[in-house]
Amino acid sequence: MAHSMGFIALLSLLSFAPLCFSGNTLGGGHLYPQFYDHSCPKAQEIVRYFVVEAVAEDPRMAASLLRLHFHDCFVKGCDASVLLDSSATIRSEKGSNPNRNSARGFEVIDGIKAAIEEECPHTVSCADILALAARDSVVLTGGPYWDVPLGRRDSKGASLRGSNNNIPGPNSKFQTILTKFKLQGLNIVDLVTLSGSHTIGNAQCTNFRQRLYNQSGNGKPDYTLNKSYAARLRARCPTSGSDQNLFYLDFVSPVKFDNNYFKNLLAYKGLLSSDQVLFTKNDVSRELVKKYAYNQELFFEQFTKSIIKMGNISSLTGYKGEIRKNCRKVNAY
């Protein structure tokens, strides 16, 4: 009975997925894909060029750029606060637990920003560059294309505390993750769909070690982790040391944006606890994992809706914020 209820709830949620959610922007404006058509017509072309170059040089960069957009939006909204370095007045989000020693791609964004500033000075925000780079990273690795709503402006501050508190951790419980998504105006469909970003990228040994050796404090591995898969992971992720060793989030097709992430969850081969709980801890999310595992087209279609919705979280528009000249620091007036 619980499963059928979950399925009905799922259907109603899926039908309520606005294509362009621009209700919670700040500053009176709204985002739309044509924002730079006249003021900087080559902006998207420049972003794409740099992303293609960066991913050709380092295939991991696609996942890193997508992750930056996510880690930006969940802290104070999609305002490029994640890009700010520490200064006399700013404690950088780069030092937070979710970002320290793992957030990367900042130099790629720097390169894009410098080229765009040369083409059309003081016009394109760092926040919009992040949103475009995330889209291009998905497309480049085989995922769906979407028109990115544009017109965000950049924040004049960062929130180290927000970065530590708002971004779900790799060992978070299902309800904790869902609550953090709901606080951003995202629902359970958005949660499962956007988790599908883990179809590309890597995680460090330190992020899933407890699943291999001591999931519940009883010295035993996570019972929801496939035993042969766990044995393979233990070979390169010992009880101590090797913290930075990298493992594919989707070992089947690690650099291809597809639905194998969801197929892995069905086989109890999700790398992170925060991945596997989508299949083991909630009826609605379990049904959605199954749907995406069997239907990549459905996953792609919903992914574009959910990431557009995420990209609209508390966006600064109009006269709010600023257009940073350098993405790493606020403008000097």
Side-chain angles (χ1 to χ4, degrees):
M1 182 66 185
H3 278 278
S4 61
M5 278 302 290
F7 185 64
I8 291 163
L10 170 64
L11 285 179
S12 66
L13 280 166
L14 270 172
S15 60
F16 172 70
L19 234 151
C20 184
F21 178 84
S22 51
N24 63 345
T25 54
L26 300 175
H30 67 281
L31 309 181
Y32 56 98
Q34 301 80 19
F35 191 84
Y36 298 112
D37 280 8
H38 299 295
S39 60
C40 194
K42 288 190 177 169
Q44 299 205 37
E45 193 183 311
I46 293 170
V47 174
R48 193 175 309 116
Y49 172 83
F50 276 86
V51 173
V52 168
E53 291 279 299
V55 174
E57 196 177 306
D58 174 9
R60 283 178 60 206
M61 192 53 71
S64 298
L65 292 170
L66 178 56
R67 185 172 183 255
L68 269 187
H69 182 41
F70 170 65
H71 282 212
D72 179 38
C73 290
F74 266 59
V75 185
K76 295 169 69 267
C78 310
D79 59 2
S81 61
V82 72
L83 301 177
L84 288 168
D85 287 339
S86 286
S87 69
T89 55
I90 289 168
R91 292 182 70 201
S92 174
E93 292 168 19
K94 295 174 184 179
S96 70
N97 290 328
N99 292 330
R100 194 172 55 246
N101 300 324
S102 65
R104 53 200 296 277
F106 300 111
E107 294 79 11
V108 179
I109 302 298
D110 290 341
I112 296 170
K113 180 62 175 171
I116 287 182
E117 280 299 310
E118 206 170 296
E119 175 70 22
C120 29
H122 205 69
T123 304
V124 180
S125 68
C126 301
D128 278 345
I129 289 172
L130 277 179
L132 288 167
R135 189 272 311 277
D136 292 343
S137 295
V138 170
V139 174
L140 204 54
T141 47
Y145 176 91
W146 65 96
D147 288 320
V148 178
L150 300 164
R152 298 166 189 81
R153 287 166 65 85
D154 300 323
S155 69
K156 297 180 183 179
S159 175
L160 179 62
R161 186 177 174 209
S163 190
N164 276 319
N165 294 342
N166 298 5
I167 298 166
N171 293 302
S172 297
K173 290 184 163 48
F174 177 84
Q175 199 52 51
T176 304
I177 302 169
L178 181 58
T179 299
K180 290 187 177 188
F181 269 71
K182 284 184 171 174
L183 286 170
Q184 305 295 344
L186 301 172
N187 61 30
I188 194 167
V189 173
D190 302 315
L191 160 58
V192 179
T193 308
L194 293 171
S195 295
S197 297
H198 284 177
T199 178
I200 55 174
N202 298 260
Q204 297 170 349
C205 164
T206 184
N207 286 323
F208 59 88
R209 176 181 279 126
Q210 78 175 56
R211 294 193 75 201
L212 302 178
Y213 302 103
N214 188 23
Q215 177 67 356
S216 307
N218 57 3
K220 293 182 178 172
D222 185 348
Y223 72 93
T224 69
L225 186 62
N226 175 281
K227 286 186 171 57
S228 64
Y229 181 49
R232 278 170 53 193
L233 297 174
R234 277 193 288 267
R236 286 188 55 241
C237 186
T239 49
S240 64
S242 305
D243 285 6
Q244 313 297 317
N245 276 5
L246 292 173
F247 294 77
Y248 293 128
L249 287 161
D250 164 12
F251 68 94
V252 178
S253 52
V255 293
K256 190 172 190 319
F257 198 100
D258 57 22
N259 67 336
N260 276 320
Y261 165 83
F262 297 103
K263 293 178 181 177
N264 294 340
L265 297 186
L266 296 190
Y268 298 95
K269 293 178 180 178
L271 183 64
L272 305 179
S273 177
S274 57
D275 293 324
Q276 196 60 57
V277 293
L278 302 180
F279 186 63
T280 58
K281 296 298 183 186
N282 180 277
D283 287 343
V284 176
S285 68
R286 177 169 32 256
E287 288 302 324
L288 201 46
V289 168
K290 286 184 194 169
K291 276 183 169 296
Y292 292 161
Y294 300 134
N295 187 341
Q296 181 170 281
E297 199 179 321
L298 181 68
F299 165 48
F300 279 12
E301 188 185 326
Q302 183 59 42
F303 185 84
T304 63
K305 294 175 181 175
S306 290
I307 199 161
I308 286 172
K309 189 172 167 186
M310 184 190 84
N312 278 277
I313 297 171
S314 302
S315 299
L316 301 171
T317 59
Y319 298 103
K320 300 274 185 178
E322 64 181 14
I323 306 294
R324 277 185 227 140
K325 186 173 171 52
N326 177 336
C327 291
R328 293 174 178 266
K329 54 188 186 184
V330 297
N331 295 337
Y333 293 102

